[in-house]
Amino acid sequence: MNAPDKAFSHDARIAEAADKIESKVVAWRRDFHENPELGNREVRTAKIVADHLRKLGFDEVTEKVAHTGVVGTLKGGKPGPVVALRADMDALPVTEEVDVPFKSRVRTEWNGQQCGVMHACGHDAHTSILMGVAEILAGMRSEIAGTVRFIFQPAEETPPIGEDGGAKMMVEQGCLENPDVGAIFGLHITSVFPTGKIGYRPGPFMASADDFRVFVRGTQTHAAMPWRGTDPIVVTSQIVLGLQTIVSRQMNITKEPSVVTVGVFQGGVRHNIIPDEAKLEGTIRTFDEGQREEIHGHVKRIAEMIAEAGGAKARVHIHRWYDVTVNHPELTEWSVPSLKRIAGDENVLFVDKVCGSEDFSFYQKAVPGFFFFIGCTPPEKDAGTAAPNHSPRFYVDEACLKQGVKLLSGLALDWLAANA
Ligand SMILES: [Zn+2]
Ligand SMILES: [Zn+2]
């Protein structure tokens, strides 16, 4: 790969087209925002996307990939390699508190509870940005040497319980093949940065995410006569403390950081009864697949052994969600000059790792991939105290949309030109 050492001739074209299309991208985003859909339920969103790609004259538009995903292929006028761009389309079970005219009023039942549905992670912005990129690149297709694959993915926030879906399933269903994709780019908006700022990092960037459940079986007895049974509350308390020694005592923290958190501790129904069973639930975050396996082993061993020492029995279930989001080092290094050229040197920042996770990691396991953040907090507000993604008060400065359109368009064309 060659570094882009000159201002590419397509920059001016993209900038001009992005100016023209901005109001459309904003309108799409507001429409998606007002009509959010949960993971694997993005039926309306997917139809709008697919109709748009067909209207632009895409060579291929495939719907219902991984349930509700849309994959579009745009062949340029000249032969060349294949680059992919990805957006996610799903919203969250969050009741919106932002006072905008296009506020979501959609309601749903989630895990038996009534709540709102909101684009609280900004995937409405990602979908609209990629629709804008599709329109710009479709307008330039005769000059493009190569193919651009557009991936609109469902269920990034994990599918509903009992269902499969998301990036892993998109890859399994061939979204990176026919023709084979050489590199993939994706972005995420974040309120942690002001609009205009871009955050990137080579190598491990976002954490792996797994959850665990521990069921501790004791023997129920009268709370006044604990010696007549086995108290799972005390044993489970010891397990909580034992789990906290994994990162602090057993992991090489100079290699990568990691987190083990217990978020649920349940047991008992009445003050004077020692119950039969207590339950823990928690999350494990790592930045290294080896450490991830190690921690899984420690969680299991510590829970089982502490329970055994107390005369109880522990059953441990660990569910693997997302792998570590690892930015391909050379592709990242290659991409940074493009970001700087498009957004300005001073706006492109090398940032810390993020303990959140992303299923973009599954694309990166299949092909070299680069994932980065763009800020969406209005510059006059303090990004340090802005409501985070997933908050009912998550607010998007729509000026970030045009920047996203320019960045993804530019990266795609730069990469095709450098790899022709
Ligand atoms: Zn999210
Ligand atoms: Zn997200």
Side-chain angles (χ1 to χ4, degrees):
M1 276 183 295
N2 305 313
D5 51 1
K6 62 183 166 67
F8 276 77
S9 55
H10 50 246
D11 280 358
R13 296 276 308 278
I14 291 172
E16 193 190 325
D19 280 341
K20 260 196 207 142
I21 213 180
E22 184 177 15
S23 59
K24 262 166 108 171
V25 177
V26 169
W28 290 326
R29 187 252 157 180
R30 292 184 180 186
D31 177 56
F32 292 140
H33 193 84
E34 202 170 355
N35 299 282
E37 296 171 301
L38 293 173
N40 284 359
R41 305 287 182 273
E42 307 93 331
V43 176
R44 179 183 182 275
T45 310
K47 185 176 185 318
I48 292 170
V49 168
D51 287 349
H52 177 65
L53 301 185
R54 283 204 188 91
K55 224 172 94 193
L56 294 172
F58 267 51
D59 300 274
E60 243 177 82
V61 179
T62 311
E63 291 176 80
K64 299 199 172 107
V65 184
H67 303 298
T68 45
V70 180
V71 176
T73 304
L74 180 74
K75 286 189 190 138
K78 302 167 206 162
V82 188
V83 67
L85 303 172
R86 173 272 207 168
D88 39 14
M89 304 190 288
D90 54 321
L92 285 161
V94 170
T95 308
E96 175 149 23
E97 290 176 24
V98 182
D99 199 14
V100 286
F102 48 92
K103 174 178 180 168
S104 165
R105 288 181 173 77
V106 177
R107 307 278 305 167
T108 192
E109 194 185 291
W110 185 258
N111 280 347
Q113 283 179 46
Q114 289 295 316
C115 68
V117 182
M118 178 191 174
H119 268 295
C121 201
H123 300 183
D124 50 346
H126 304 163
T127 303
S128 327
I129 286 170
L130 198 53
M131 284 171 70
V133 175
E135 186 154 338
I136 291 178
L137 298 190
M140 299 170 71
R141 68 187 298 176
S142 59
E143 303 136 62
I144 296 175
T147 296
V148 189
R149 169 70 49 82
F150 289 78
I151 298 172
F152 294 85
Q153 174 213 308
E156 192 286 323
E157 304 284 2
T158 72
I161 293 165
E163 295 182 27
D164 49 10
K168 189 162 182 276
M169 200 174 179
M170 295 288 290
V171 175
E172 283 164 3
Q173 295 193 359
C175 74
L176 299 175
E177 298 161 26
N178 281 322
D180 287 351
V181 167
I184 185 164
F185 297 97
L187 59 73
H188 206 300
I189 64 166
T190 172
S191 59
V192 169
F193 305 136
T195 314
K197 298 288 180 202
I198 296 162
Y200 79 95
R201 188 179 181 94
F205 182 38
M206 298 180 74
S208 65
D210 302 312
D211 63 40
F212 63 89
R213 285 176 300 155
V214 181
F215 299 92
V216 179
R217 189 89 191 159
T219 315
Q220 185 157 330
T221 180
H222 196 293
M225 295 178 280
W227 59 89
R228 304 270 309 253
T230 305
D231 185 347
I233 302 272
V234 172
V235 169
T236 308
S237 304
Q238 290 173 319
I239 292 174
V240 172
L241 297 178
L243 295 178
Q244 289 315 305
T245 64
I246 297 174
V247 175
S248 66
R249 305 290 85 178
Q250 311 202 47
M251 300 309 294
N252 179 355
I253 54 157
T254 62
K255 188 174 182 197
E256 291 289 354
S258 49
V259 174
V260 177
T261 294
V262 173
V264 173
F265 188 140
Q266 281 172 352
V269 288
R270 202 181 143 80
H271 69 278
N272 59 0
I273 302 172
I274 288 171
D276 260 335
E277 193 168 80
K279 181 179 88 168
L280 299 177
E281 287 181 24
T283 190
I284 301 164
R285 306 289 166 123
T286 72
F287 291 92
D288 175 88
E289 293 294 338
Q291 291 194 330
R292 183 185 188 186
E293 298 310 322
E294 242 183 280
I295 291 179
H296 287 192
H298 287 312
V299 167
K300 206 167 169 320
R301 187 174 46 82
I302 285 171
E304 288 173 355
M305 297 297 193
I306 289 179
E308 202 182 320
K313 200 154 180 53
R315 283 179 298 129
V316 181
H317 299 273
I318 299 178
H319 184 90
R320 302 170 72 90
W321 286 106
Y322 296 162
D323 293 347
V324 183
T325 301
V326 183
N327 278 328
H328 190 272
E330 288 88 51
L331 183 67
T332 306
E333 199 186 320
W334 174 88
S335 301
V336 171
S338 296
L339 299 179
K340 289 186 169 170
R341 198 186 75 234
I342 297 162
D345 264 25
E346 68 289 2
N347 292 322
V348 181
L349 314 167
F350 184 99
V351 296
D352 290 340
K353 296 185 179 87
V354 177
C355 269
S357 65
E358 243 296 335
D359 71 356
F360 192 80
S361 52
F362 291 110
Y363 303 109
Q364 291 171 317
K365 279 204 137 171
V367 297
F370 174 50
F371 192 71
F372 58 99
F373 289 155
I374 66 172
C376 71
T377 292
E380 67 275 12
K381 286 194 188 155
D382 175 16
T385 56
N389 295 51
H390 290 205
S391 159
R393 291 173 297 282
F394 176 65
Y395 180 80
V396 176
D397 173 10
E398 289 169 330
C400 76
L401 301 174
K402 187 167 87 173
Q403 191 193 37
V405 168
K406 283 162 68 176
L407 290 166
L408 287 183
S409 304
L411 280 171
L413 294 190
D414 284 4
W415 190 86
L416 289 178
N419 291 275

